[in-house]
Amino acid sequence: MKAPLIMHIDMNAFFASVEQRSNPELRGKPIAVIGSAKRTVVTTASYEARRFGVKTGMNKWEARKACPSLIFVIGDNQKYIDTSVRILAILKDFSPRIEAYSIDEAFVDISGTGSLFGSPETLAASIKDRIRKDLGLTCSIGIAPNKLLAKLASDMKKPDGLVIITEESKAALLRDLPVGELWGIGPKLTMHLGAMGIRTCGQLGAFPESILRERFGIIGERLKSMGQGMDASPIVPMGEEEEAKSVGHSTTLPADVSDKAVIRRYILKLSEMVGARARRHNLKGRKVSLTLRYPDFYTFSTQRTLPSYTNDTHSIYMTALNILEAQRLRSAVRLIGVSIFDIAKGSLQMPLFEEDRKKEKLLEVMDSLNMHFGEFTLTWGTIFEEYESEAGVISPAWRPSGVKMVNVK
Amino acid sequence: MATIKESIKVVAVFDNGIKPAKFKWKNRVYKVEEIAYTWVSRDGSQNIIHFSVTDGATLFELAYNQSTMKWSLEQTA
């Protein structure tokens, strides 16, 4: 059996680079891709903008302050989704085992491809060439015996980097590497580990497992392995991802809203988006949750369990509405989210009553029309009172196919 | 970019993909000097190919609907 060899591909400043390819005037200039919503933030900054300190998540004012010559570009999610799908198609020419980790990152199992494509360096150069030739974009590539180290390697040299970590070289690399550099160890965990005197991967890998387990529970064992550069998580090829645990949509409102009638309309719109997506993938949920975020970012989320599984827009809407009506709003609302979870696949039970069968038929007709002519061609009249469409942000859970392939425009 | 969304007439080469060569908008003919980027979007069951093109001075986004076989000028800088 061939030793496992994993490649991680990370597109450099993806959205900004696509915009710079699309508009020659933007090439070499500091640009920031933002959403179309009034209260938007920077989703990606070009490397030219990053040199001025422009970062993802900054609001427009902060970004402009960091870089007065910054050019704002409203992102086009369809453009990025199509580009991502084309990148994955290129990768499929080199290996059948591709995991689309996010819209701009993928893992590729390149174990045993040497006889076809040469050394890992040659293979990486071929992939970079294809992406550059076909799309005009650059990427950073990390190659290692597992996903954890491959991701670490691709982060080590940006943009347009190639870093290879081998079994032989990993111990020296990890010895003094801060734990926070590892994929999966965030600022909070870094702080907790620091409080235990663990600052480097070398220290983490040598720390007694029993103490880590005592402090962090079941992940203690995994943390020690991570410190040693070990990771047994498999590549999950496209189409083999586990079934969605929930189906949800949320939206940041153009302005804070306290009028419950307006909030209800947004809830109906979100319920239709959730219901339509669940129906498309033949999923039903037994729990509905409503999330509200206030201007101070305090977020409230509550769920209700239904008597039976559903993907019916009206049932989802009524349940979310019941949650809303039971609340006294703290203040105006900034964000609203609706989800169904406790998911089951397939039609679990035929509707018993004629009226329910009619409702199901109506939804079938609505869905088939919307599939053919585009989302919301036929929808609930109430939605149109206030709703103004704005491009959403692509979720990190986005995948090129399946229930997580969300139409975001 | 300013939104236009108007039907236009386009001279295009269909050879190993579609390449717009010239288009007419508001009685003026623009020669496509560079196709900077292309991407595909979907509207229901319809595939729409987008072309970000320049005439050497101005950036335009053209769109070709593969179902209706119609061209439109979507945006211009």
Side-chain angles (χ1 to χ4, degrees), chain A residues 271-309:
Chain A
S271 301
E272 169 60 8
M273 290 164 84
V274 170
R277 188 148 59 100
R279 293 192 294 275
R280 197 156 58 240
H281 295 280
N282 202 17
L283 301 173
K284 290 184 174 182
R286 216 160 83 87
K287 289 179 177 166
V288 174
S289 81
L290 174 72
T291 300
L292 300 175
R293 180 172 294 155
Y294 293 99
D296 61 359
F297 281 81
Y298 172 81
T299 307
F300 155 90
S301 196
T302 269
Q303 65 186 60
R304 287 271 163 88
T305 303
L306 300 167
S308 58
Y309 287 86

Side-chain angles (χ1 to χ4, degrees), chain A residues 148 170 174-175 179 182 185 200-206 222-230:
Chain A
L148 176 79
K170 74 176 183 187
L174 293 171
R175 192 169 46 236
V179 286
L182 285 180
I185 300 189
T200 66
C201 295
Q203 290 168 334
L204 181 61
R222 168 144 173 78
L223 283 173
K224 185 176 171 76
S225 300
M226 286 168 75
Q228 294 169 339
M230 296 194 298

Side-chain angles (χ1 to χ4, degrees), chain A residues 85-349:
Chain A
V85 168
R86 284 156 74 191
I87 291 164
L88 293 171
I90 291 172
L91 298 179
K92 271 191 186 167
D93 287 345
F94 295 91
S95 168
R97 293 180 59 79
I98 314 280
E99 179 178 335
Y101 181 65
S102 70
I103 193 156
D104 61 350
E105 289 179 70
F107 289 102
V108 186
D109 186 348
I110 57 166
S111 315
T113 58
S115 59
L116 283 171
F117 301 113
S119 67
E121 290 91 336
T122 309
L123 173 59
S126 303
I127 289 175
K128 277 169 171 281
D129 277 353
R130 274 285 302 280
I131 293 175
R132 192 179 293 114
K133 191 167 122 311
D134 292 3
L135 300 161
L137 302 172
T138 62
C139 59
S140 289
I141 291 183
I143 298 174
N146 58 50
K147 285 165 73 174
L148 176 79
L149 293 178
K151 176 114 168 87
L152 175 69
S154 71
D155 281 342
M156 287 169 67
K157 197 174 173 201
K158 285 183 174 179
D160 205 14
L162 168 62
V163 173
I164 298 176
I165 300 173
T166 61
E167 283 291 353
E168 295 71 37
S169 68
K170 74 176 183 187
L173 172 77
L174 293 171
R175 192 169 46 236
D176 298 320
L177 188 80
V179 286
E181 298 285 314
L182 285 180
W183 176 38
I185 300 189
K188 263 195 176 167
L189 193 48
T190 301
M191 200 178 70
H192 289 306
L193 289 169
M196 295 168 74
I198 303 169
R199 286 182 177 79
T200 66
C201 295
Q203 290 168 334
L204 181 61
F207 208 79
E209 190 182 304
S210 56
I211 302 176
L212 289 170
R213 280 185 78 102
E214 197 178 302
R215 175 69 184 77
F216 299 105
I218 194 142
I219 67 154
E221 190 182 335
R222 168 144 173 78
L223 283 173
K224 185 176 171 76
S225 300
M226 286 168 75
Q228 294 169 339
M230 296 194 298
D231 173 28
S233 62
I235 292 267
V236 184
M238 289 184 285
E240 293 177 27
E241 296 97 346
E242 62 178 41
E243 206 57 76
K245 291 187 173 67
S246 67
V247 179
H249 280 277
S250 65
T251 184
T252 299
L253 310 179
D256 298 340
V257 171
S258 51
D259 182 348
K260 276 200 174 176
V262 177
I263 294 172
R264 279 187 215 109
R265 278 197 281 277
Y266 278 104
I267 291 176
L268 176 57
K269 165 92 181 177
L270 292 165
S271 301
E272 169 60 8
M273 290 164 84
V274 170
R277 188 148 59 100
R279 293 192 294 275
R280 197 156 58 240
H281 295 280
N282 202 17
L283 301 173
K284 290 184 174 182
R286 216 160 83 87
K287 289 179 177 166
V288 174
S289 81
L290 174 72
T291 300
L292 300 175
R293 180 172 294 155
Y294 293 99
D296 61 359
F297 281 81
Y298 172 81
T299 307
F300 155 90
S301 196
T302 269
Q303 65 186 60
R304 287 271 163 88
T305 303
L306 300 167
S308 58
Y309 287 86
T310 191
N311 53 19
D312 169 18
T313 298
H314 192 252
S315 301
I316 298 167
Y317 171 61
M318 290 311 291
T319 312
L321 212 55
N322 283 338
I323 299 172
L324 176 75
E325 299 304 345
Q327 304 305 315
R328 202 174 69 186
L329 298 179
R330 291 171 85 224
S331 66
V333 172
R334 177 188 169 87
L335 171 144
I336 304 171
V338 174
S339 303
I340 56 167
F341 54 105
D342 190 359
I343 295 282
K345 195 166 176 91
S347 296
L348 299 171
Q349 193 182 327

Side-chain angles (χ1 to χ4, degrees), chain A residues 22 78 82-83 86 371-372 374, chain B residues 36-41 44-45 52:
Chain A
S22 301
Q78 300 249 15
D82 183 59
T83 305
R86 284 156 74 191
M371 282 282 279
H372 190 73
Chain B
Y37 208 70
T38 65
W39 69 99
V40 178
S41 68
S45 60
S52 185

Side-chain angles (χ1 to χ4, degrees), chain A residues 11 14-15 77 80-81 84 101-105 394 396 398:
Chain A
M11 298 308 297
F14 183 51
F15 298 171
N77 291 334
Y80 313 141
I81 287 171
S84 184
Y101 181 65
S102 70
I103 193 156
D104 61 350
E105 289 179 70
I394 298 175
W398 176 90

